Amino acid sequence: MSEEVVAFEPKPIGTITPECALTTVRYSPCGRVLAGTGFDQAIHRWDLAKMENPGDEKMFAVPGLEKVNGHNGFVSGLEFHPKREIAFSADSWGQLKAWPYLAEKPEPIWALPEAHDGWLRDLAIGDDGDWIATCGRDGICRIFSTIDGGLLAKFGGHDGEDVFAIAVHPSGKWAVSGDLRGRILQWEVKTGKIVREFDGADFHTLHRLQDLAGLRKLYFSPDGNTLIAGGSLPTGGANFRGRAHVRMFDFESGKVAQDVVIGDEAKDVFAHDVALHPEGCLVACTTGQSGSGNLILHRPGEEEPIFKSNKGTINCHGLALSPDAKQVAVSATNRGSNANGRRLDKEGNYPHNHSPIFLFELV
Amino acid sequence: MSLCTPAEHSFSRRQILGAMGSGAACGLMHPAIANEIAKNNKQVLFVWLDGGMSQFESWDPKPNTRFGGPFRTIPTALPGVHFCELMPRMAKLADKLSIVRNMHTQDNSHSAGVPRILRGDPANRGVTYPYFGSAVSKLLGPGESGLPPYVWIKPGSGGFKPENAGFLGPKHGAIAFGDGKPPENFSRPETISDEQDELRNELRRRFSDRFAKGRKPTANEAQSYVYDMARKLMSRADLFDTTKLPERDLDRYGRTELGQHMLVARNMLEAGVRFVQVTSYGWDTHGDHFNGSASLIPKFDMAFASILEDLEERGMLDNTLVIAMSEFGRTPRINGHHGRDHYPEAWSMVMAGTGLVPGAVIGATDAEGIYVDAPQGHDIGSVFHTWYHALGINSMKEEFYNADQPLPMAHHEMEPIREVLA
């Protein structure tokens, strides 16, 4: 990270309103496509090159591209190839597939319906784009060729525990994966040999019968000097209780550089997605109880965030920095997303939730 | 093998009224009828998943639909019937179950919903109805074991729960064993001899008799009853000890709180306890529901499948009614905290064992799990009638008595689920 950290003031550009709930959002490397992964077994795309009236809340518009279908359950992850116009998406039934993200009607380049046995939770692409690392509920991490989906390597160091998050070091030499019990392991991509373990045990606790898995995201700073673990330090089960938390490790020493308790103490439970701005500012979004959720910008080393907004950004599950780092996209949840019983809408239909995507310019 | 059929225990309202004397005590049916019912050796295992288990992630999955969630489904032992992938062992035992997929109940709050469900939600008659366990305690009694007829194994604290009994009187409350352990100071100190113990008890009885004079008998009866039950239990400390069980059992049931408690429940049933409730807390997954389900449901699957297998292997399933349920299901809609909220409108519960048709799947929900297939579905009153009938008690004809007031055993406008009764 650079030592001089710029303070940003996110300025609203506009809101995109997909019809379904999303698990995450990502920008394509060219910056033209914004994509979100849905509960509806589809990937939703928007053509940012055709954005109209940025900054005008009422007139703002971004045309949608055709949905990418063919997934099952939840679409759980999305990554873009750094050089080629290919995206990789994963779902909760274990499928991994590659598809041309600029195509009008994308057909899979390759697809692995059973890349994992069950929920494929996260994926991260190697630095040169030749391979992609995945992890899942089957307790295994895998390395696949991005060319043809061929299996290159497997890592079973988590002893069968559900692996929630994976990140690849910018050098491409190491991967780091974190599991249900908060074990964050660094391993060599070529050999699968465990190098060391980072301190993440407090991302897990057992409450009565329930293992509470707090880890949600692993992320490397672009220079590879900082490893960020985002999630929750759980305190109670059933209706998951905990404290939204980001832990920053100095990658060279492996020691904790800073623990950041994030968001509103009474409400925010998870730091669900994190990124690091090239200027050194931590960007995170949070989820929690009804009405909670924040977009947060935090300067490392400081106690208080430099920006925190709950205006519209309720229960945010995904965030992405644009390739030029001048924009951030946050997928949130509509208001009134929860209710006991069968409350019908004005038309007498049972409602479903959706994820408005808020676009901000980082000024 | 069932020792008697439900028909053999069928009595008419006229018979009961004719048999009732003017001095009928609180909650009593005619003694002849009560004795007849008590002859059967039926037992009940009641597994209560407190907070609301999701029907989507268990008995009634809706994969790849708007509200279906992330999980796959797996085939079961019943052709064409699928469970969520989180229940692989129960899927293999589906042909032992009676699955009700169109539960439709009235209350979406825990505080009111739990007692409404556990008391059968009868029409309001100005009295507090008993929990099902208390009713079974009253109707079937302790049996030959002499052990407490209504035992509750639960996390946390234990103690006597007279409030469960409603108008049946405190004697029929539950004896709760917190964390599946016997009460504190359970065993008699070694320094007290048999003779000294008897003298102490004689003194206690005298104090109790003096206390009872001029007071309503129910409270004192209950106290004496519980004390006698506790003394009986003192000779059965082995029931709580799972450390001597084979490692294989511990592995099969799961080395979890629920697995441990289910093993204690197995011990209790084997010893002849009439009604054993096992409660698991922490199912109210308004937040992070899918990861919560991924942790909770496989542990339930292990423990519940294991006790079903063992009851069947021991020939006990023929006489034991097994029930697993919550106070409601969970919403189709997935909220912003990735949770599911309370949903009494369309949910599932399962039963197995005595008096039931194994492998029956009753009712259905629509493609997205929002509505049950019939407007009314099955309410808990209907399920209570079903349970009574499965135990050989014709709840459509027999009645409780609260002093001289006849009271239907379950909701008077509802009937048992006939398709599920053997």
Side-chain angles (χ1 to χ4, degrees), chain B residues 125-390:
Chain B
R125 290 168 188 269
V127 295
T128 303
Y129 263 69
Y131 279 24
F132 185 55
S134 295
V136 170
S137 161
K138 174 71 190 174
L139 294 165
L140 303 186
E144 291 176 3
S145 73
L147 291 168
Y150 178 14
V151 157
W152 181 15
I153 301 160
K154 63 187 283 292
S157 62
F160 185 53
K161 311 289 180 187
E163 63 274 19
N164 291 14
F167 64 71
L168 292 180
K171 177 179 168 182
H172 296 288
I175 297 181
F177 298 110
D179 292 327
K181 294 175 184 165
E184 283 186 36
N185 306 315
F186 178 65
S187 302
R188 193 177 80 195
E190 290 177 1
T191 52
I192 296 175
S193 68
D194 288 348
E195 190 176 305
Q196 287 170 321
D197 190 44
E198 187 47 45
L199 285 171
R200 279 152 47 103
N201 273 307
E202 179 56 30
L203 184 61
R204 179 185 64 80
R205 277 192 288 272
R206 287 186 187 183
F207 281 139
S208 293
D209 290 345
R210 187 192 296 176
F211 178 79
K213 283 178 184 170
R215 291 182 167 84
K216 289 183 179 177
T218 49
N220 194 55
E221 273 178 17
Q223 188 187 12
S224 298
Y225 181 75
V226 171
Y227 195 89
D228 291 343
M229 290 295 156
R231 278 175 62 80
K232 181 75 180 175
L233 268 177
M234 285 168 70
S235 64
R236 296 303 309 269
D238 58 303
L239 298 178
F240 302 95
D241 186 4
T242 57
T243 60
K244 296 185 179 68
L245 293 172
E247 288 289 307
R248 183 174 171 273
D249 277 355
L250 300 175
D251 288 337
R252 285 172 58 239
Y253 278 71
R255 294 173 189 268
T256 64
E257 177 186 82
L258 181 59
Q260 182 84 5
H261 292 178
M262 208 71 93
L263 279 165
V264 175
R266 189 185 74 179
N267 287 349
M268 294 281 182
L269 289 167
E270 285 181 315
V273 173
R274 186 70 81 179
F275 187 104
V276 180
Q277 177 171 336
V278 178
T279 289
S280 172
Y281 291 117
W283 292 77
D284 191 23
T285 48
H286 290 278
D288 200 32
H289 165 81
F290 301 103
N291 293 317
S293 296
S295 176
L296 290 166
I297 291 176
K299 293 169 187 165
F300 163 76
D301 182 59
M302 288 180 81
F304 192 55
S306 295
I307 201 163
L308 266 183
E309 288 166 353
D310 287 352
L311 290 175
E312 185 182 42
E313 186 184 288
R314 289 157 168 75
M316 293 173 68
L317 206 51
D318 295 330
N319 294 321
T320 306
L321 173 63
V322 179
I323 300 160
M325 66 182 301
S326 298
E327 61 267 45
F328 36 61
R330 305 214 74 85
T331 51
R333 186 160 70 142
I334 299 161
N335 68 32
H337 194 13
H338 284 183
R340 294 192 193 268
D341 302 314
H342 308 165
Y343 204 66
E345 284 86 351
W347 55 289
S348 303
M349 55 89 58
V350 298
M351 306 173 273
T354 189
L356 300 173
V357 176
V361 180
I362 306 301
T365 48
D366 67 355
E368 292 188 316
I370 302 169
Y371 295 92
V372 293
D373 54 357
Q376 71 277 15
H378 283 112
D379 205 337
I380 189 65
S382 171
V383 173
F384 260 57
H385 279 298
T386 308
W387 294 341
Y388 283 128
H389 277 73

Side-chain angles (χ1 to χ4, degrees), chain A residues 39 41 70-76 90-96 112-121 137-138, chain B residues 61-65 68-74 84-85:
Chain A
F39 282 2
Q41 304 90 50
H71 274 292
N72 297 297
F74 289 171
V75 186
S76 50
D91 69 39
S92 62
W93 289 19
Q95 181 175 211
L96 175 68
L112 304 173
E114 294 178 355
H116 282 254
D117 182 7
W119 200 332
L120 201 167
R121 288 192 177 271
R137 194 166 166 264
D138 59 4
Chain B
K62 304 288 180 186
N64 271 354
T65 63
F71 296 110
R72 300 171 293 181
T73 62
I74 49 175
C84 177
E85 66 174 306

Side-chain angles (χ1 to χ4, degrees), chain A residues 86-106:
Chain A
I86 300 172
F88 305 91
S89 51
D91 69 39
S92 62
W93 289 19
Q95 181 175 211
L96 175 68
K97 65 179 184 175
W99 43 277
Y101 63 81
L102 290 177
E104 191 176 334
K105 294 179 186 294

Side-chain angles (χ1 to χ4, degrees), chain A residues 103-152:
Chain A
E104 191 176 334
K105 294 179 186 294
E107 292 294 327
I109 298 167
W110 51 259
L112 304 173
E114 294 178 355
H116 282 254
D117 182 7
W119 200 332
L120 201 167
R121 288 192 177 271
D122 198 13
L123 66 171
I125 199 152
D127 64 322
D128 57 4
D130 287 349
W131 49 268
I132 191 162
T134 62
C135 64
R137 194 166 166 264
D138 59 4
I140 307 289
C141 300
R142 292 180 173 85
I143 306 289
F144 295 99
S145 163
T146 55
I147 306 297
D148 58 7
L151 179 65
L152 301 177

Side-chain angles (χ1 to χ4, degrees), chain B residues 91-154:
Chain B
K92 291 177 182 165
L93 297 174
D95 57 346
K96 315 283 184 239
L97 297 175
S98 304
I99 306 157
V100 184
R101 278 176 160 170
N102 62 351
M103 291 294 294
H104 179 96
T105 50
Q106 307 305 318
D107 207 311
N108 66 26
S109 74
H110 300 294
S111 55
V114 170
R116 276 179 82 165
I117 294 292
L118 289 171
R119 297 185 196 281
D121 202 11
N124 183 5
R125 290 168 188 269
V127 295
T128 303
Y129 263 69
Y131 279 24
F132 185 55
S134 295
V136 170
S137 161
K138 174 71 190 174
L139 294 165
L140 303 186
E144 291 176 3
S145 73
L147 291 168
Y150 178 14
V151 157
W152 181 15
I153 301 160
K154 63 187 283 292

